[in-house]
Amino acid sequence: MRIDILTLFPEICRAPLSESMMKRAQTTGALDLRIHNVRDWTTDKHRTADDAPFGGGQGMVMRPEPIFAAVESLRVEGTTVVLMTPQGRTFAQSIAQELATYEHVIIVCGHYEGVDHRVTEHLVDMEISIGDYVLTNGAIAAVVVVDAVVRLLPGVLGDEHSAANDSFSAGVLEGPQYTRPAEFRGWKVPDILLSGNHSEIAAWRNQQAIDRTRENRPDLLADE
Ligand code: ADE
């Protein structure tokens, strides 16, 4: 899969997407990630990418010309263009799964007070918000989306099956996990996990997942 990120702050994306699994995804070729500075598509000597909003108001708005120029130079047949914005659809595992099936995604990161609305109307296929809060910077949100999508690409997680049991993929939250030591500060790992009885362990985990979901995210069970 190829992902192009367009941002005014490429360094915000670079470090988190060049470690661990994201690094491996690029080394193995599962991910072709390119992070670009939108200013590279400006044409004036000050490399102006933003301006004051028409009609007045606080802050700056990203101008449409460099964003259009960048997307038009990078997109190919079948490219999906995503805009990171707090006004978008709320990101969820189902959207990550959908994006992971695409060959090429361009992610435009909004900054300041947002982007000129002609970008949203005439260039973008999908607006995504990572939650009901406002960040200073869409690049942080883009990192979240890229990570969630790339870990779903075939071969990226060591064990091909490990994404299947994720919280949200299974419709409930993942149950608790324990590792050594079997006793820590007097707190013992549940006996069942040391029993070697795989079917009872599976049933226990299932129940734990349901209990945890009821406690922390009852909304996920509401439709059942
Ligand atoms: N930019 C600022 N806040 C954001 C959010 N919550 N999601 C996506 N992009 C954003």
Side-chain angles (χ1 to χ4, degrees):
M1 179 182 191
R2 175 163 163 187
I3 301 179
D4 288 271
I5 301 179
L6 287 167
T7 167
L8 288 173
F9 302 98
E11 294 313 314
I12 290 179
C13 301
R14 234 182 281 286
L17 295 175
S18 45
E19 299 282 343
S20 180
M21 293 291 175
M22 297 301 115
K23 179 179 181 180
R24 203 175 79 172
Q26 290 169 85
T27 317
T28 62
L31 171 66
D32 177 3
L33 175 69
R34 304 181 195 192
I35 302 169
H36 312 271
N37 192 329
V38 181
R39 278 190 214 284
D40 293 344
W41 281 272
T42 55
T43 50
D44 63 311
K45 87 169 188 266
H46 299 294
R47 291 166 50 90
T48 313
D50 57 351
D51 216 324
F54 276 123
Q58 287 197 324
M60 300 293 266
V61 175
M62 286 175 75
R63 293 175 61 115
E65 310 97 307
I67 301 176
F68 269 82
V71 169
E72 284 165 356
S73 75
L74 295 168
R75 76 178 166 195
V76 292
E77 182 95 14
T79 297
T80 299
V81 182
V82 169
L83 174 67
M84 300 313 307
T85 164
Q87 283 82 41
R89 284 164 66 187
T90 308
F91 191 55
Q93 191 68 14
S94 55
I95 300 178
Q97 280 160 347
E98 178 188 337
L99 292 176
T101 66
Y102 296 166
E103 293 266 306
H104 183 210
V105 174
I106 297 175
I107 303 180
V108 179
C109 304
H111 299 289
Y112 313 126
E113 293 304 304
V115 302
D116 185 287
H117 196 58
R118 287 162 290 191
V119 170
T120 313
E121 279 192 304
H122 304 294
L123 195 64
V124 161
D125 300 303
M126 191 191 290
E127 297 168 83
I128 295 180
S129 163
I130 62 163
D132 290 342
Y133 39 81
V134 180
L135 305 166
T136 54
N137 198 309
I140 297 167
V143 168
V144 170
V145 168
V146 171
D147 186 283
V149 169
V150 170
R151 67 186 285 287
L152 298 176
L153 298 177
V156 170
L157 296 184
D159 171 0
E160 280 271 2
H161 302 293
S162 47
N165 295 328
D166 281 348
S167 291
F168 309 112
S169 293
V172 289
L173 302 180
E174 221 180 307
Q177 302 277 12
Y178 295 88
T179 186
R180 274 180 269 278
E183 185 172 340
F184 169 67
R185 296 189 178 177
W187 300 306
K188 290 188 177 141
V189 171
D191 286 341
I192 180 82
L193 295 176
L194 312 177
S195 70
N197 185 329
H198 295 295
S199 63
E200 279 188 29
I201 290 172
W204 180 86
R205 285 195 165 136
N206 202 26
Q207 190 55 49
Q208 289 287 318
I210 292 167
D211 292 349
R212 206 181 209 191
T213 308
R214 190 169 293 123
E215 177 75 20
N216 290 341
R217 292 293 307 277
D219 54 301
L220 294 177
L221 297 171
D223 302 340
E224 289 182 9

